[in-house]
Amino acid sequence: MVHLLASEVRQLLHNKFVVILGDSVQRAVYKDLVLLLQKDCLLTLSQLKAKGEHTFEQDELVHGGQQGHMHNGTHYREVRQFCSGQHLVRFYFLTRVYSDYLEDVLEELQSGEHHPDLVIMNSCLWDITRYGKDFWPSYRRNLERLFGRLRQMLSESCLLVWNTAMPVGDKITSRFVPPEVQFTSSSVKISVIEANFYSSAEAQKHGFDVLDLHFHFRRHTGKYLQTDGVHWNQCAHRHLSQLLLAHVADAWGVELPRRDPVDKWIPDGPGRRRPGRRLERQPLVCGDQPACPLPRPLPLPGRQPLLPTPPCPPLFPLLSPQRHPIPLHQVMPPFPFCPQETCFSSDHLFQSDQFSLNYLHSDVPPSTQTEFAVQGDFQYGPQPPMPRFSPPCYQQRVPEVHRGFPRYHPPDPYMPWRRRPKTSKRRASAYKEPRPQ
């Protein structure tokens, strides 16, 4: 898995409206994404434990939380939003997978000025612990209502990713869980697995994506799960964000930078590591200290890129880490690093329709010639041959966008192995291109 830097995450989610719905675990997903959009740092323990605060890393509390009465009941509400010149991320706290409140949220998103480009959602622990012992009929019925409503409300270009509930510990002491449930933690663990099966099957039935977080974190509860048995630490959430962003990049046809795939936030155990290979982790960057990424390694035998690789675009130096979001009107250099093409963005712009780094959202392949601004005293002449050197450590490949390629879903416990699912017709691209030879 590729570890994306903050500057690359800003490019991937450039001019995108992201909506995250769910419980406190999904709130931590929102917080880590907001932090990663601004700087290469991990969340602190106090930021993970904070609930309903008025502001977090330049975001705002829109409704509920500390603006009202703080409690652990099923009617608790919290709406947060982070807005910059090029990004809009919003979080809605849910205590049930489908309810009258969720219907109000969907109507607000449908009638709002901006339509979502990416929806990330999960609801499980509250549904199986706070609505009586006979919760299965209502939970499965609510799942059918939810995905049916989302299919009607979301646009064809919107990507919905359903996150399965993450594993829980052997002893659950979280405050939102009633005291009588704490003595049946083993049954809660089984119920989470069963609920993930029903929710993932219903999501795939309606043509939505599923990211199986329970499968990815099933072996890491002993080290990265917090003492309450429900929430996870900052390293686990950064690994979760990288998994989520890689899935989104695959769905949008974005080729990720090629780096050493061993820089993981959660390393594999000693039994899964290949002998004779030394794993080195890329240093973490915080604040204004620049990072020097590792040089591009040679491709491993039998390992193919995410998508077919087109001709290499020109290299450009990495943007230095910024403490604040990118300004709205950014002055472009007189000689652009790559061709300026039509910007592929959502249907609604947030504040301006002029954004930098337009190459990320181009629907057409880059041209073979580069446009230059010619001055009056400039003369053309024969150019000497340019020597081919390996790119220095401060340069990397530009993320590229391809359209019209079929999706590939990695195998997981909820779908047959060694069989590729059919391509969903729901998110078929309107601008199909022939597959490069």
Side-chain angles (χ1 to χ4, degrees):
M1 184 188 68
V2 176
H3 168 221
L4 296 178
L5 303 177
S7 59
E8 297 163 341
V9 176
R10 287 193 292 265
Q11 296 176 23
L12 178 64
L13 301 180
H14 184 83
N15 194 28
K16 292 295 186 294
F17 180 20
V18 183
V19 178
I20 302 176
L21 305 99
D23 53 11
S24 55
V25 177
Q26 301 304 310
R27 177 172 54 203
V29 174
Y30 160 82
K31 288 186 174 182
D32 191 72
L33 182 59
V34 169
L35 182 65
L36 190 55
L37 281 172
Q38 303 178 68
K39 49 189 175 181
D40 292 298
C41 288
L42 297 177
L43 293 168
T44 62
L45 186 60
S46 60
Q47 289 175 333
L48 283 173
K49 291 184 176 181
K51 170 184 176 180
E53 64 270 34
H54 289 283
T55 180
F56 161 79
E57 292 293 338
Q58 304 186 40
D59 83 332
E60 60 176 343
L61 179 64
V62 179
H63 175 71
Q66 295 183 0
Q67 295 181 0
H69 176 62
M70 300 289 294
H71 59 88
N72 292 322
T74 56
H75 296 287
Y76 175 75
R77 300 290 181 259
E78 181 179 351
V79 182
R80 313 193 65 87
Q81 178 172 287
F82 170 77
C83 182
S84 67
Q86 298 85 17
H87 308 94
L88 180 60
V89 186
R90 190 178 300 170
F91 167 74
Y92 294 91
F93 189 89
L94 300 180
T95 60
R96 202 164 194 176
V97 67
Y98 186 83
S99 61
D100 294 337
Y101 173 70
L102 178 62
E103 186 65 31
D104 296 338
V105 171
L106 297 181
E107 292 180 359
E108 176 184 350
L109 294 175
Q110 188 176 17
S111 60
E113 180 182 1
H114 310 298
H115 293 171
D117 298 289
L118 172 62
V119 177
I120 304 168
M121 185 176 181
N122 171 262
S123 182
C124 177
L125 290 179
W126 285 76
D127 297 82
I128 65 178
T129 58
R130 299 299 296 271
Y131 295 96
K133 296 182 179 180
D134 190 17
F135 58 85
W136 283 120
S138 61
Y139 183 65
R140 298 185 62 178
R141 183 169 56 253
N142 288 334
L143 285 173
E144 296 177 2
R145 295 176 180 176
L146 168 70
F147 292 114
R149 185 69 177 90
L150 289 174
R151 188 177 181 87
Q152 298 174 358
M153 188 271 296
L154 297 179
S155 62
E156 294 292 332
S157 60
C158 180
L159 172 66
L160 184 136
V161 180
W162 174 265
N163 291 341
T164 61
M166 301 179 69
V168 297
D170 296 330
K171 184 178 180 180
I172 301 176
T173 61
S174 183
R175 294 181 180 180
F176 83 92
V177 180
E180 59 270 15
V181 182
Q182 298 180 5
F183 298 98
T184 60
S185 300
S186 58
S187 62
V188 173
K189 296 178 64 175
I190 299 176
S191 298
V192 167
I193 299 176
E194 189 173 357
N196 287 337
F197 173 79
Y198 289 132
S199 62
S200 61
E202 194 68 28
Q204 294 179 354
K205 173 183 175 181
H206 288 80
F208 296 115
D209 287 27
V210 177
L211 179 59
D212 194 352
L213 298 179
H214 192 284
F215 176 78
H216 287 286
F217 290 90
R218 69 195 187 280
R219 297 180 179 177
H220 305 293
T221 56
K223 185 176 181 181
Y224 299 96
L225 186 65
Q226 296 190 17
T227 56
D228 62 358
V230 173
H231 300 92
W232 295 72
N233 65 5
Q234 62 272 22
C235 294
H237 274 285
R238 181 51 54 87
H239 186 73
L240 191 159
S241 297
Q242 299 293 339
L243 289 172
L244 180 63
L245 293 171
H247 184 97
V248 172
D250 183 19
W252 287 346
V254 178
E255 185 178 1
L256 299 179
R258 292 195 179 98
R259 291 201 189 96
D260 196 343
V262 302
D263 51 345
K264 302 178 180 179
W265 293 103
I266 299 183
D268 295 333
R272 297 171 59 88
R273 185 178 301 175
R274 295 183 181 180
R277 298 182 61 187
R278 182 180 179 182
L279 306 183
E280 297 181 358
R281 183 179 300 175
Q282 184 174 352
L284 182 64
V285 182
C286 183
D288 297 332
Q289 299 179 1
C292 182
L294 297 176
R296 186 187 310 170
L298 295 175
L300 298 178
R303 186 179 182 88
Q304 299 297 330
L306 181 64
L307 291 173
T309 305
C312 297
L315 300 176
F316 73 105
L318 277 175
L319 299 176
S320 59
Q322 301 179 2
R323 186 175 300 275
H324 301 286
I326 302 177
L328 178 60
H329 300 286
Q330 185 175 358
V331 180
M332 296 298 294
F335 296 91
F337 298 106
C338 59
Q340 302 299 311
E341 300 170 338
T342 304
C343 176
F344 178 84
S345 61
S346 60
D347 298 335
H348 299 270
L349 302 182
F350 304 142
Q351 298 180 11
S352 174
D353 58 353
Q354 295 180 355
F355 297 97
S356 59
L357 304 177
N358 292 338
Y359 60 87
L360 181 61
H361 308 284
S362 175
D363 284 334
V364 296
S367 60
T368 57
Q369 298 181 357
T370 305
E371 300 176 1
F372 295 95
V374 182
Q375 300 179 359
D377 55 350
F378 182 82
Q379 296 181 358
Y380 292 96
Q383 300 296 329
M386 297 297 294
R388 303 183 63 180
F389 299 101
S390 59
C393 65
Y394 61 86
Q395 291 183 342
Q396 66 178 24
R397 289 198 55 186
V398 179
E400 300 159 6
V401 176
H402 307 274
R403 303 292 175 186
F405 293 98
R407 295 288 312 284
Y408 172 72
H409 298 269
D412 58 63
Y414 304 129
M415 66 173 13
W417 287 72
R418 297 187 181 91
R419 187 175 66 183
R420 299 178 62 174
K422 297 181 180 179
T423 304
S424 174
K425 299 181 179 179
R426 182 180 178 276
R427 291 180 303 278
S429 175
Y431 304 96
K432 294 185 179 181
E433 297 179 1
R435 183 185 299 271
Q437 300 297 329

